[in-house]
Amino acid sequence: MAPAASKPPDPQIRQRAAQLREQIHYHNYRYYVLDAPEISDAEFDRLMEELQRLEEQYPELVTPDSPTQRVGAPPLEKFETVTHRIPMLSLENAFSEGETREFQQRLQRFLRTEEQFDYVVEPKMDGVAVELVYENGQLQVGSTRGDGWRGENVTQNLKTIRTIPLVLLKSGEPIPARLEVRGEVYIERADFKKLNEQRLAQGEQPFANPRNAAAGSLRQLDSSITAQRPLNIFCYGVGEVSGHEFASHWEILQQLAAWGLRTNPYIEQVTGIDAAIAYHHRLEQQRPALPYEIDGVVIKVNSIALQERLGIKARSPRWALAYKFAATQATTRVREIRVNVGRTGAVTPTALMDPVEVGGVTVSRATLHNEDEVRRKDVRAGDWVLIQRAGDVIPEVVMVIKERRPEHTVPFEMPTHCPVCGTKLVRPAGEAVTRCPNPDCVAVLKRSIRHFASKGAMDIDGLGEKIVDQLVDNGLIQNLSDMYSLTEADLIPLERFAEKSAQNIIAAIQGRKRVSLARFIYALGIRYVGEATAQLLAQHFQSLEALKQASEAELLQVEGVGPQVAASIRDYFRNPRNLRLLDELQAAGLEIETPERPAKLPLAGKTFVFTGGLEKYSRDEAKALVVARGGKVSSAVSAKTDYVVVGSEPGSKYAKAQALGVTILDEAAFEALLRRSV
Ligand code: IVH
C-alpha cells in the first residue's frame, strides 16, 4: 500500500471518490446483473483506476463498500459463526404431479378453502444457500446457511462475487435499515468445466459437480482464491426486513431486483396448481439448455398474508414446495470398458454399464473420454461408479466408488490396435487422444450400418446417412450389434434428436429383430452377395449355421454361385471378427427365421434369356433373381425360351425373340414378374 498522504484529502477529492464508487457500483450492476453495460470496458477500467489511485493516495478514503474492496482481504484463520435472526428453512420435496397436488390440497384443508392460490414458481437452483445482510444499503455480513440456524461468516468471499452488490441501488422505495436477502450461489456449467480442466492441468482433484465447486469455493479462508472462481448468485427471498411491508412474494422479488440484486428471469407468477405443474414440465424441457444446473422448481404461495397464516412446520414452510426433477446422477456397475472409434479415428473408452435411470431415462453407457481420464479416474470393469447425465451432455462417469470395488479387478489398458479395423493405434506425443490412423476404417463401418439397415436388408426406418454419421461419430455404434443396445438417452443428446424421434428410431431397430434368413445374409454385406444371391443361399442352406460351415465346394453347388462369390462367402465366415459379430447379433436378440422351402418355386420350368443392359440389376443379379425363384437362365434364344428380358442396346437376341414370337419383357415388366413370383 502507498504511504498515507501527509495532508487529508480536501472535500472535492472526497466527493470525487464517492462519485466514483457510486458510478462503479452502477456500472457493475449494469454489466454483471443486467448484462447490459452502458459504457465500454475501457471506460469502466478508467473509473476503477482513478478510484484506486485516489484510495492509494488517501487511504482514509477507502470504505468497506468500495468496489476496490471486493478482493484483497487477508486470509482468515477460521470462519466466524453467524446466527441467522430468522432461521433459513429447507423445503419439502415432491417428486410427482400427485404429490404436488396433495400439497395444494393440504393448503386448502389448512385454510379451509376450495380456492386456487396464486403461486410464484421459480427454478430451484442447485447451489449453496447464503444470506446477505445489508444495513442502510451496505453489505455488512454474508453467511452460509449452515444448519439453518447458524452458518459461517463468508463475507469476504461473497464480496468477490460481482453480481452481489456491495451497496444497494436506490430505487423509489426507501432502503430498509436492515435487509436480509437470501439466495443461491452457483457456478455455471461451462465455467465449471473450465475450472475442472484447470484443476486437472494443475494436478488437482476436479470437483464432482458445480454445486460442490461452489461450496468449496465459498469455504476458502483466502478470499483471493474465491475471487478466481466463477461464482454467481440468484436471490430468491428475504429474512428480516426492517420497516418494510410486502404484500406478496412477487413484490419482494421485484423490489430485490430494483435494489440491484440479481433474480432469476425464469421466475413466474401463476394461478392454480395445474399452472405450477405445467411450469415444472416446461422448465424440465428447458433444463438442458440452461447454462446452470437446477434440480426442480420451487412453488411458493404468493400472498404474504396467506404465508403467515400457513406458517411453518418443523423445518420447512407450509407455503412452499420443491417439485424436483428426476436426479441426474446415479450409481451403477461397469460391465465392460470398450473403446469406440469416431469419424476422425479418435478412440474413446466407453463404460458399458448395468442400465440405470438418470434424469428420467435409462442409461447403459457412459463416455470415459480418453486413456488418461480412465487412468486418472481408475475406472475398471466391475467397478461401481457415479455417473451423470447433465442435460444434453453424453452420460459420463464422474468417479469410481472405491469402497465398493470388488476383488481382482484390473486396471484398464488401452488396446494397441483398432478394434474396428485392426490397424495399429497411434497416440501422438503430447496429445490425449489415441487414434486409428486408417482413413477407411470408420467409413466402412458407416457404410455397413446403412447397408444393414437398408430396405432389402433389415429394413430399419430412419437410419439415414446423417443419423448413422452421428451415431458413429459420437462413438455410439462401433459394431453393428451396438445398435441393439442403443437407448433413447444415447440419442437425445445428439443434434436433431427430440425425444419422439429417438423413440421412433429405437422402436424401429427393436421392431425389426425378427428377420428372414435371406434378408439377414444380405444385411451382412458380404462382398458379391446381393439380395438375389442371399435368397439363393438361404433357400439352399436353410440356416445360418449351415451357411457358416459350408465349404467352397458346397457353395459352388448353389445355382447362381460362381467361384468368386463362393470364395468371398468362405472368407467372410472365416474371419473371427465376423463370427464374433454374428454371435453378438444373436446375443442381442436377433431372430433369424428359417425359410420355408416352397413345394414348387414360382418360376420353376421357365427359361429366361437376357439381352442389353438393365438399369437396376447387374446381369448376375438378374440371373440370380430368376434362379432363386426356380427359373433357368440360358444364353441363347430358342423356341423353348419363355421370356427374353430386353434392356438398353439389346443385341441380335431381341430380333430373334421377335421372330420366334417369344414373350419380351422390358425391365419394368421383368420386375413386375419377379414381384408376382415370390
Ligand atoms: S426458498 C423457505 N427458492 O433449496 C424457503 N430455495 O431445499 C427456503 N433453493 O436451502 C428456500 N433455489 O438452497 C428457495 N428458488 C429457490 C431456491 C431455493 C434453490 C435451495 C436453497 C434451500 C434449499 C431448500
Side-chain angles (χ1 to χ4, degrees):
M1 200 180 277
S6 48
K7 64 181 175 71
D10 61 37
Q12 273 151 311
I13 290 177
R14 208 172 271 284
Q15 213 179 353
R16 176 65 185 151
Q19 190 185 32
L20 283 167
R21 283 198 300 269
E22 194 168 333
Q23 283 179 354
I24 293 168
H25 282 313
Y26 175 74
H27 291 300
N28 226 346
Y29 165 75
R30 296 288 319 181
Y31 185 89
Y32 289 106
V33 179
L34 298 186
D35 202 8
E38 281 175 358
I39 59 172
S40 70
D41 289 3
E43 284 170 289
F44 182 85
D45 290 346
R46 269 201 295 281
L47 295 176
M48 197 69 176
E49 276 158 26
E50 188 184 342
L51 180 63
Q52 266 160 353
R53 253 196 334 272
L54 287 181
E55 288 182 350
E56 263 170 41
Q57 219 175 336
Y58 306 102
E60 60 262 61
L61 287 182
V62 179
T63 59
D65 65 12
S66 167
T68 59
Q69 299 305 296
R70 283 198 185 269
V71 272
L76 301 171
E77 294 279 311
K78 67 178 186 52
F79 295 115
E80 300 295 326
T81 301
V82 173
T83 304
H84 306 297
R85 289 199 184 176
I86 299 178
M88 293 180 76
L89 300 172
S90 57
L91 291 166
E92 188 184 319
N93 289 327
F95 296 93
S96 66
E97 269 189 46
E99 286 172 295
T100 306
R101 286 182 204 286
E102 277 167 27
F103 161 71
Q104 162 152 299
Q105 285 157 9
R106 274 199 305 278
L107 300 182
Q108 289 173 330
R109 269 201 306 277
F110 196 90
L111 297 169
R112 296 181 202 289
T113 172
E114 300 268 283
E115 84 186 77
Q116 294 277 332
F117 304 100
D118 285 340
Y119 299 105
V120 172
V121 283
E122 309 178 359
K124 185 171 189 301
M125 298 300 299
D126 197 6
V128 183
V130 298
E131 179 172 76
L132 308 169
V133 180
Y134 288 89
E135 282 174 4
N136 300 314
Q138 290 192 3
L139 177 61
Q140 292 299 335
V141 180
S143 56
T144 58
R145 173 174 179 270
D147 63 6
W149 279 268
R150 269 184 301 262
E152 287 175 319
N153 184 331
V154 288
T155 313
Q156 287 310 333
N157 292 342
L158 288 169
K159 277 187 166 180
T160 67
I161 303 176
R162 304 281 165 174
T163 40
I164 294 183
L166 301 177
V167 178
L168 295 181
L169 285 184
K170 295 194 176 62
S171 72
E173 290 292 315
I175 289 174
R178 183 180 175 93
L179 171 69
E180 296 176 358
V181 181
R182 272 114 191 241
E184 196 89 346
V185 168
Y186 69 94
I187 291 183
E188 292 199 350
R189 266 201 291 266
D191 289 332
F192 166 73
K193 206 169 150 233
K194 265 187 254 157
L195 176 62
N196 262 358
E197 279 163 11
Q198 274 168 17
R199 286 176 75 82
L200 278 174
Q202 289 159 5
E204 288 167 308
Q205 269 294 312
F207 291 109
N209 53 47
R211 178 171 22 88
N212 287 3
S217 303
L218 265 192
R219 297 199 70 260
Q220 292 294 327
L221 290 166
D222 181 352
S223 63
S224 69
I225 297 177
T226 311
Q228 292 160 27
R229 303 283 170 80
L231 295 170
N232 209 336
I233 192 169
F234 276 127
C235 300
Y236 51 65
V238 292
E240 191 179 284
V241 188
S242 55
H244 206 106
E245 293 293 317
F246 294 103
S248 69
H249 182 62
W250 184 254
E251 197 184 304
I252 292 176
L253 295 171
Q254 301 300 305
Q255 189 53 57
L256 291 181
W259 282 323
L261 293 148
R262 190 159 176 263
T263 54
N264 193 307
Y266 287 93
I267 296 179
E268 287 179 24
Q269 252 183 311
V270 298
T271 300
I273 204 69
D274 284 345
I277 290 170
Y279 173 81
H280 172 278
H281 296 337
R282 218 172 330 123
L283 222 63
E284 192 159 30
Q285 295 285 315
Q286 288 175 347
R287 182 187 192 186
L290 295 179
Y292 42 78
E293 304 222 329
I294 59 175
D295 56 353
V297 302
V298 185
I299 304 173
K300 300 175 180 172
V301 169
N302 190 23
S303 153
I304 302 293
L306 285 182
Q307 283 186 8
E308 280 168 2
R309 279 174 64 196
L310 286 160
I312 58 171
K313 294 183 291 183
R315 300 219 52 182
S316 56
R318 208 172 264 115
W319 45 266
L321 181 78
Y323 180 4
K324 302 284 279 276
F325 299 138
T328 53
Q329 291 194 335
T331 54
T332 182
R333 219 175 143 166
V334 177
R335 287 182 181 164
E336 183 190 342
I337 299 176
R338 256 229 223 137
V339 292
N340 291 330
V341 186
R343 185 182 42 157
T344 57
V347 176
T348 314
T350 303
L352 304 188
M353 310 165 304
D354 290 339
V356 64
E357 182 157 320
V358 200
V361 273
T362 305
V363 166
S364 62
R365 68 181 84 203
T367 176
L368 292 165
H369 303 292
N370 57 49
E371 187 179 11
D372 293 350
E373 276 282 294
V374 192
R375 283 257 170 79
R376 192 179 57 71
K377 292 179 180 162
D378 189 17
V379 186
R380 306 177 182 191
D383 268 339
W384 281 89
V385 287
L386 177 68
I387 61 159
Q388 130 177 318
R389 184 184 156 262
D392 53 355
V393 183
I394 293 170
E396 62 173 359
V397 171
V398 179
M399 61 183 207
V400 171
I401 303 159
K402 291 260 166 72
E403 296 74 26
R404 294 179 78 178
R405 170 168 283 169
E407 281 177 35
H408 312 304
T409 56
V410 284
F412 169 76
E413 287 285 344
M414 198 71 165
T416 51
H417 291 78
C418 173
V420 177
C421 68
T423 308
K424 196 166 177 352
L425 297 176
V426 293
R427 182 174 166 188
E431 277 188 33
V433 185
T434 307
R435 284 179 200 283
C436 170
N438 172 8
D440 291 333
C441 169
V442 165
V444 171
L445 171 64
K446 287 181 178 172
R447 234 177 292 135
S448 58
I449 295 168
R450 287 208 298 279
H451 173 78
F452 187 78
S454 67
K455 274 252 163 306
M458 303 300 286
D459 192 17
I460 299 169
D461 244 359
L463 277 185
E465 184 171 351
K466 293 216 174 88
I467 285 169
V468 170
D469 281 358
Q470 271 188 307
L471 293 174
V472 175
D473 296 347
N474 287 287
L476 292 172
I477 300 190
Q478 178 224 303
N479 183 311
L480 284 175
S481 64
D482 290 347
M483 93 172 58
Y484 294 98
S485 54
L486 284 177
T487 63
E488 279 169 46
D490 294 327
L491 302 183
I492 290 171
L494 306 182
E495 237 181 280
R496 278 189 300 269
F497 268 101
E499 212 165 293
K500 189 74 202 147
S501 52
Q503 269 170 11
N504 288 344
I505 291 217
I506 302 292
I509 295 172
Q510 296 296 332
R512 287 275 172 197
K513 274 185 160 174
R514 237 178 118 81
V515 65
S516 72
L517 179 59
R519 276 179 179 275
F520 183 72
I521 295 172
Y522 172 60
L524 292 176
I526 305 170
R527 212 163 163 205
Y528 308 125
V529 178
E531 271 182 85
T533 309
Q535 266 184 22
L536 293 174
L537 294 168
Q539 289 291 348
H540 187 95
F541 289 102
Q542 296 284 301
S543 77
L544 184 64
E545 210 41 47
L547 175 64
K548 248 159 80 173
Q549 307 298 340
S551 67
E552 220 169 334
E554 283 172 312
L555 286 163
L556 280 168
Q557 278 170 17
V558 182
E559 251 192 327
V561 172
Q564 198 185 30
V565 182
S568 162
I569 296 169
R570 189 211 46 200
D571 286 351
Y572 182 89
F573 289 110
R574 272 197 192 163
N575 182 332
R577 233 177 75 204
N578 295 332
L579 295 177
R580 206 168 46 242
L581 170 68
L582 294 175
D583 287 345
E584 283 166 0
L585 286 171
Q586 279 175 314
L590 220 70
E591 273 185 68
I592 301 165
E593 293 169 345
T594 315
E596 279 180 30
R597 210 190 276 273
K600 188 168 172 290
L601 290 169
L603 297 180
K606 304 286 182 205
T607 305
F608 287 70
V609 173
F610 291 94
T611 176
L614 297 177
E615 246 174 52
K616 286 199 190 148
Y617 311 95
S618 70
R619 183 62 65 80
D620 281 345
E621 270 181 295
K623 279 185 189 168
L625 289 166
V626 170
V627 174
R629 289 163 173 78
K632 266 196 174 153
V633 177
S634 158
S635 53
V637 180
S638 73
K640 284 195 210 141
T641 308
D642 295 282
Y643 302 102
V644 173
V645 181
V646 181
S648 57
E649 295 173 39
S652 60
K653 291 178 216 169
Y654 181 30
K656 188 156 183 201
Q658 281 178 318
L660 290 173
V662 177
T663 309
I664 291 170
L665 303 174
D666 64 5
E667 186 163 346
F670 173 60
E671 262 199 300
L673 177 69
L674 291 179
R675 269 202 300 274
R676 283 199 303 277
S677 317
V678 279

